[in-house]
Amino acid sequence: MRQFYILTLDPNFLSVVKWIKENKIEFDAHLNRTRFWIPEGEELMTFLLTWGHVCTPVDEKADLITGKRD
């Protein structure tokens, strides 16, 4: 699974959330962003081609407070 997020104030937010819901993607809604996980495969490729330029990947090894990797 690959993790991404989109900020709530992003102009594409509603379109991305619609795509997430239509494709039954696991997500966590937060006040300022929505995080979601996409399984490897065709669904990930479709996502990257459609929304990869809008959504930010999350590095599982990075400290979310400092942004530094372990």
Side-chain angles (χ1 to χ4, degrees):
M1 296 281 253
R2 302 260 306 267
Q3 185 179 161
F4 297 88
Y5 73 86
I6 185 163
L7 298 175
T8 305
L9 293 178
D10 189 293
N12 296 293
F13 176 77
L14 292 177
S15 297
V16 172
V17 169
K18 181 181 176 189
W19 185 88
I20 289 169
K21 288 183 175 183
E22 287 174 353
N23 289 280
K24 298 180 174 109
I25 301 295
E26 179 185 353
F27 69 93
D28 283 338
H30 299 272
L31 186 60
N32 66 337
R33 72 181 185 283
T34 296
R35 294 185 336 170
F36 51 96
W37 295 263
I38 302 179
E40 299 283 340
E42 186 177 329
E43 196 166 42
L44 176 60
M45 190 60 61
T46 300
F47 167 78
L48 290 173
L49 290 171
T50 309
W51 301 112
H53 66 289
V54 174
C55 300
T56 305
V58 176
D59 185 348
E60 295 284 343
K61 295 179 181 164
D63 181 318
L64 297 178
I65 295 172
T66 65
K68 294 182 181 179
R69 290 186 61 137
D70 293 336

